[in-house]
Amino acid sequence: VPRNYDPALHPFEVPREYTRALNATKLERVFAKPFLSSLDGHRDGVNCMAKHPKSLSTVLSGACDGEVKIWNLTKRQCIRTIQAHEGFVRGMCARFCGTSFFTVGDDKTVKQWKMESPEYGEEEEPIHTILGKTVYTGIDHHWKEPVFATCGHQVDIWDEQRTSPMCSMTWGFDSISSVKFNPIETYLLGSCASDRNIVLYDMRKSTPLKKVILNMRTNTLCWNPMEAFVFTAANEDYNLYTFDMRFLESPVTVHMDHVSAVLDVDYSPTGKEFVSASFDKSVRIFPVDKGRSREVYHTKRMQHVITVKWTSDSKYILCGSDEMNIRLWKANASEKLGVLAPREKAAMNYNQKLKEKFQYHPQIRRIAQHRHLPKSIFCQIKEQRIMREARRRKELNRRKHSKPGSVPFVSERKKHIVAVVK
């Protein structure tokens, strides 16, 4: 369509666009209904989850009573239940080809299971069982080879065909809570220990590379699937830290918004955002380069969120919590699901561009950022703001009444790092 862009013929273009942007932002908040459904069937708290590498609609979950369930997300039903372990299922991961999956539990065993249900008359039995000497607290599979890693009081690397580990790596004396393979540089591993360390290992050298010690314990970490050296760690001090493994002296970004310990973190497949689960009964979505969350999800019934996963098509988020439910959320709260007409799609793209253009305008920014929070979280945020302000005042006073230069300025990024050991 030929158009004449002469400003004399189109007066008041910006005010008109501003009004449209304001309406688009208001409508986005009106249509923000992120909760889709809950998958119930577990008889104890959901402790861990795993994604199927080949099938979008399949997800696995393990509970605190040793039960593993396989779910079909399109039907929102459980398609198979296995009594896998005595006690907790501590960790689970699927094989990269999607034919089998591994679980570890409190009964000191590592078990490999078929992904398909057993035939009629067949017993529900694991393909392999490895009996270890200590309790395993986590497991992760290599992205390309038949190798997996478990962690407990040390990190063990196993070949699928053997019943003893190929190599064991340890650095420090404390138990290790989680271990993760890097999806790009597939021979790199990261692990979190309860003595506040994040340790990086190289599988080829079978030695630890370096470690960073933080002020408080890190519960788990997740590698960015798009940037080989970047990972995000979920910490007990209510923050998440995004590190570049080449420069561990200070994190790239400190993500603050939770008001209790962060228990799990998972990246979106685009590598632009990640989702975190917290003890404060909420799930938050953070952009990688921002310190504040763009979205917070909560329901009245949801208790402490223990595990969270972002589906491989980047559209949905799954979270498992204490009160035995797995909840399915939209990753984009106001997104319309289903088939879109071409005009709808064009209108959506236009509105999106308008919102980006006017995003820093006070009125639009206020509407876009406002979220209703549960009273407990709201009060804790207020309380922590007061505490932060008091700490800042105290430091200012101390600096004012000390010799110049004796109380140095420490940036927020450096505050939480104790040391880096190579």
Side-chain angles (χ1 to χ4, degrees):
V1 179
R3 255 189 79 185
N4 187 346
Y5 285 103
D6 177 16
L9 297 175
H10 301 282
F12 310 124
E13 186 180 3
V14 172
R16 217 178 305 152
E17 282 194 343
Y18 170 72
T19 309
R20 285 175 189 172
L22 188 63
N23 288 341
T25 312
K26 285 178 180 172
L27 284 175
E28 183 192 46
R29 296 316 310 144
V30 169
F31 291 127
K33 294 186 169 55
F35 180 72
L36 290 174
S37 78
S38 75
L39 313 171
D40 37 4
H42 275 297
R43 290 170 303 186
D44 210 334
V46 182
N47 198 44
C48 54
M49 288 196 294
K51 292 184 283 198
H52 193 295
K54 295 285 166 76
S55 155
L56 280 175
S57 59
T58 310
V59 70
L60 311 127
S61 64
C64 298
D65 57 355
E67 201 174 57
V68 169
K69 282 184 180 285
I70 301 179
W71 304 88
N72 184 335
L73 291 181
T74 40
K75 294 179 184 165
R76 303 190 186 164
Q77 284 174 350
C78 172
I79 49 178
R80 185 169 160 217
T81 305
I82 307 163
Q83 187 57 46
H85 295 277
E86 303 286 322
F88 281 46
V89 181
R90 285 289 171 192
M92 59 196 311
C93 65
R95 201 172 184 272
F96 58 90
C97 60
T99 52
S100 63
F101 64 94
F102 295 82
T103 60
V104 292
D106 273 357
D107 50 5
K108 303 182 184 177
T109 55
V110 181
K111 294 184 180 178
Q112 183 181 6
W113 307 83
K114 270 198 190 129
M115 196 65 85
E116 268 70 53
S117 306
E119 300 292 323
Y120 180 71
E122 253 189 282
E123 287 290 311
E124 183 76 90
E125 282 180 342
I127 310 171
H128 296 303
T129 304
I130 300 167
L131 189 58
K133 295 186 179 70
T134 56
V135 173
Y136 297 113
T137 53
I139 185 168
D140 197 32
H141 202 284
H142 195 283
W143 290 76
K144 288 177 181 161
E145 291 166 23
V147 171
F148 63 92
T150 59
C151 61
H153 75 137
Q154 61 191 21
V155 171
D156 293 328
I157 311 261
W158 307 75
D159 192 306
E160 280 180 16
Q161 307 304 323
R162 291 166 55 180
T163 55
S164 58
M166 294 195 297
C167 70
S168 298
M169 299 181 280
T170 176
W171 191 357
F173 301 101
D174 247 316
S175 60
I176 295 160
S177 57
S178 85
V179 62
K180 292 278 164 70
F181 272 102
N182 192 321
I184 304 169
E185 302 288 345
T186 49
Y187 43 79
L188 289 176
L189 297 103
S191 77
C192 309
S194 53
D195 53 359
R196 305 175 305 167
N197 294 345
I198 301 171
V199 188
L200 302 174
Y201 306 93
D202 192 329
M203 209 172 76
R204 299 166 303 180
K205 290 163 69 177
S206 67
T207 55
L209 290 174
K210 47 183 165 181
K211 69 175 175 182
V212 55
I213 307 169
L214 281 82
N215 269 333
M216 287 177 84
R217 194 179 76 188
T218 302
N219 286 316
T220 182
L221 60 87
C222 186
W223 294 93
N224 190 325
M226 287 293 164
E227 296 182 47
F229 302 113
V230 176
F231 65 89
T232 296
N235 205 287
E236 285 278 320
D237 64 1
Y238 316 167
N239 298 341
L240 293 115
Y241 301 100
T242 299
F243 283 99
D244 186 323
M245 66 170 278
R246 296 163 296 184
F247 317 107
L248 289 176
E249 285 71 30
S250 75
V252 183
T253 321
V254 181
H255 309 275
M256 321 161 100
D257 253 348
H258 280 296
V259 292
S260 191
V262 190
L263 299 182
D264 200 10
V265 57
D266 192 37
Y267 263 95
S268 104
T270 58
K272 293 257 170 59
E273 294 182 317
F274 60 83
V275 59
S276 64
S278 171
F279 201 74
D280 63 14
K281 309 177 188 176
S282 70
V283 174
R284 284 183 186 266
I285 302 172
F286 291 87
V288 172
D289 50 352
K290 302 270 195 307
R292 298 287 172 188
S293 63
R294 78 161 167 86
E295 200 61 81
V296 53
Y297 294 160
H298 52 84
T299 67
K300 272 186 181 168
R301 293 183 179 183
M302 189 154 75
Q303 294 302 311
H304 313 305
V305 193
I306 297 173
T307 174
V308 71
K309 282 276 177 277
W310 199 309
T311 56
S312 306
D313 61 349
S314 189
K315 272 195 182 310
Y316 305 102
I317 285 165
L318 289 149
C319 70
S321 49
D322 251 358
E323 82 315 331
M324 309 181 270
N325 267 8
I326 297 166
R327 288 184 173 75
L328 184 65
W329 309 84
K330 289 189 231 174
N332 191 357
S334 58
E335 185 181 23
K336 186 184 173 193
L337 299 178
V339 182
L340 291 178
R343 288 181 64 178
E344 264 184 311
K345 208 175 274 184
M348 249 174 51
N349 292 340
Y350 176 58
N351 285 343
Q352 190 57 40
K353 278 279 173 273
L354 283 179
K355 282 184 287 194
E356 279 171 27
K357 182 175 174 181
F358 290 97
Q359 63 184 339
Y360 296 114
H361 196 284
Q363 190 78 352
I364 287 179
R365 188 173 170 183
R366 184 186 65 80
I367 294 167
Q369 288 189 348
H370 179 74
R371 296 289 179 276
H372 282 293
L373 291 170
K375 192 175 179 185
S376 59
I377 296 181
F378 184 75
C379 294
Q380 276 174 297
I381 288 175
K382 219 151 88 179
E383 197 177 309
Q384 281 175 15
R385 194 179 296 138
I386 294 165
M387 284 157 66
R388 255 202 313 276
E389 191 52 42
R391 278 199 294 270
R392 197 182 68 84
R393 263 201 325 272
K394 185 175 180 180
E395 198 177 307
L396 274 174
N397 289 341
R398 189 174 284 165
R399 195 169 285 123
K400 203 186 290 177
H401 297 289
S402 305
K403 202 167 79 176
S406 61
V407 181
F409 287 95
V410 183
S411 72
E412 188 61 49
R413 291 178 188 176
K414 293 264 172 69
K415 259 180 210 168
H416 311 277
I417 308 294
V418 177
V420 178
V421 188
K422 300 268 170 84

